[in-house]
Amino acid sequence: MKNSNSSLEFLPTKFILVGIPGLEAEHIWLSIPFCLMYIIIFLGNGTILHVVRTDAALHQPVYLFLAMLALAELGVSAPTLPTVLGVFLSGTTEMSSDACLFQMFPIHSFSIMESAVLLAMSVDRFVAVYSPLRYTAILTLPRIFGTGAIIGLKSIMLMAPLPMLLQHLPFCGHNALSHSYCLHPDLIHLPCGDTSINNIYGLFIVTSTFGLDSLLIVVSYGLILHTVLSITTGERRKKALNTCGSHVCAVLAYYVPMISLSMVHRFGCHVSPLLHSVMANAYLFLPPVVNPIVYSIKTKEIHRGIARMLSEKRARV
């Protein structure tokens, strides 16, 4: 342990991870659905990235934003793979403090990035509905890539102080986490000292990213709905609404588990640990599992791109 001048125990050398409380004996069987979800995440999002990158017909704003979303979901999921499968497959429950902080950083950074990309996609859908003739003139490739760079930089800069702030808190030997990976809302419950600075900064991140992003997404869809209602032709209305269907599914798959997990962490002190675990895993796995499936099925261009990619591979064989 690291000791301060007052002999308080600061960041532990190791943290203890848990799987699903009460179902420890079934972890080997529970590893099967977790492995399947990881396969879907990496195969689904990786396929979307590859198709958008290689198919020139998909080098359009909506698909470039979709590729950014797939990248963010891979970034959230990849750091958790060693510890989640370690807990369920081999019963490995210990994790060094450095590894824990290193894991926490990309999980939250890419989660912030995912929220910002969903906002960018809602703006993209508004422009497509409100001004379809000027769509490509407004959302040019330099603006798309510039937006992606700003989103990535903002995510890293916002998250950078959190690991340093955690290292200066006294944990007093408390090192048992609630999940099989490291999240800041979980870690911040362990210190025995004053966590007000961490809580204030964490609240600032939540309100300035997830809170603001979700509000602007609602505003964007309010404007989209207003624009659609002003369209006189029923067929055009239906077409305009269909362009937003996949994005609405992505927004719900992301924000519903995140808000539910946040509520459980902040107000569910007496809630069963099993519910904590279920909500945390829904937050981690639901968006990256659901989104590639929804976009592959509902977006015809992505569907065709995947079909072309598979037919080309068969032709080579």
Side-chain angles (χ1 to χ4, degrees), residues 215-245:
L215 176 62
L216 292 176
I217 288 172
V218 171
V219 171
S220 296
Y221 272 94
L223 294 172
I224 289 171
L225 186 60
H226 180 267
T227 304
V228 169
L229 291 177
S230 66
I231 298 174
T232 55
T233 309
E235 187 64 28
R236 285 185 60 202
R237 281 187 186 181
K238 183 178 178 180
K239 183 178 179 181
L241 289 174
N242 282 340
T243 64
C244 303

Side-chain angles (χ1 to χ4, degrees), residues 140-180:
T140 60
L141 289 182
R143 286 177 180 170
I144 300 299
F145 291 122
T147 300
I150 292 171
I151 288 173
L153 184 61
K154 182 192 76 170
S155 303
I156 293 171
M157 291 179 65
L158 282 174
M159 271 304 298
L162 282 183
M164 293 182 285
L165 289 172
L166 282 169
Q167 288 178 324
H168 291 86
L169 287 174
F171 280 70
C172 303
H174 302 153
N175 66 342
L177 299 175
S178 304
H179 314 302
S180 49

Side-chain angles (χ1 to χ4, degrees), residues 114-133:
E114 188 173 355
S115 176
V117 171
L118 288 172
L119 171 59
M121 294 175 79
S122 71
V123 174
D124 168 86
R125 293 299 81 205
F126 168 68
V127 174
V129 172
Y130 181 76
S131 186
L133 297 178

